[in-house]
Amino acid sequence: MADVHDAVRGKGFADRFADFCAAVVRRLPFGLSRLVAPSFLGFALINGFTFGVDLILLTLLRSWLGLPVWLAITLAYATAFGLSFVLNRSMNFRSHAPVGRQAVLYVIAIVVNYVAFLLGVGAGLAALGVDYRLSRLIAGACEGVFMYTVMRWVVFAKSGSELEVEATGEADFAHVRAPGVEDADGSVG
């Protein structure tokens, strides 16, 4: 038992968070452990937390400080997205690449997300007669998938050298063969 404690004691919080996500994913039923990446669970946990921070800040800024709604929403939204970037970079994707390029890509993703999903899907569905709360939930689901995809494969994408030294055991779709789809060697799955 001492070996386990010694091993855990030497790990940082980001490593323990990644280990927790991997352990939970390994226990998913119905074969989902082969399809769900631990970083997806990490993303969901982090962004669920930052959504809560967004709502708390919105309430504090609007109800306690009396800021105008537009300013309270903007400040809370920007703070939550900034916190999401920092937590996902350090704990979930554990990136050590230069932060400047990643921050620029993240801001571009947020702008695309805002225009395409919050305004496009959310406001578009509401304009078509869908209840604004339901349209916001639908837009939020699209937003989550988009932001995870962009963060994993664009913002925090691993370089060739990072991939060589990384051995996380994270679920990946590279081993999944789709029926009727040709592989690079010409074989069909």
Side-chain angles (χ1 to χ4, degrees):
M1 192 65 150
D3 293 334
V4 172
H5 292 301
D6 291 339
V8 171
R9 196 176 308 127
K11 289 186 173 192
F13 186 75
D15 291 328
R16 289 193 306 265
F17 180 77
D19 290 346
F20 169 77
C21 291
V24 169
V25 166
R26 276 193 304 273
R27 288 170 178 77
L28 290 175
F30 312 116
L32 290 173
S33 61
R34 291 187 308 271
L35 299 175
V36 175
S39 63
F40 183 76
L41 176 61
F43 173 84
L45 293 172
I46 288 170
N47 284 45
F49 170 74
T50 59
F51 182 69
V53 168
D54 186 349
L55 293 178
I56 290 168
L57 285 176
L58 177 60
T59 302
L60 292 174
L61 294 170
R62 177 66 183 143
S63 298
W64 289 15
L65 297 180
L67 293 180
V69 173
W70 68 268
L71 183 57
I73 288 172
T74 302
L75 291 174
Y77 186 77
T79 302
F81 264 102
L83 182 58
S84 172
F85 175 81
V86 170
L87 293 177
N88 272 296
R89 175 181 158 78
S90 62
M91 291 176 37
N92 194 32
F93 296 103
R94 294 178 287 163
S95 175
H96 300 289
V99 72
R101 180 177 183 277
Q102 291 178 338
V104 169
L105 291 171
Y106 187 70
V107 168
I108 292 168
I110 289 172
V111 170
V112 170
N113 172 62
Y114 182 79
V115 172
F117 298 109
L118 293 180
L119 294 180
V121 174
L125 288 173
L128 292 172
V130 176
D131 182 80
Y132 72 92
R133 292 167 289 217
L134 179 58
S135 67
R136 180 60 184 102
L137 287 173
I138 293 168
C142 296
E143 174 184 6
V145 171
F146 170 77
M147 287 303 296
Y148 172 73
T149 302
V150 168
M151 289 173 85
R152 181 169 180 185
W153 287 292
V154 178
V155 176
F156 300 120
K158 305 281 186 208
S159 69
S161 61
E162 288 176 304
L163 289 173
E164 290 174 12
V165 295
E166 184 179 85
T168 62
E170 185 170 302
D172 196 0
F173 296 107
H175 68 282
V176 177
R177 294 181 57 120
V181 176
E182 189 174 287
D183 286 341
D185 65 356
S187 63
V188 176

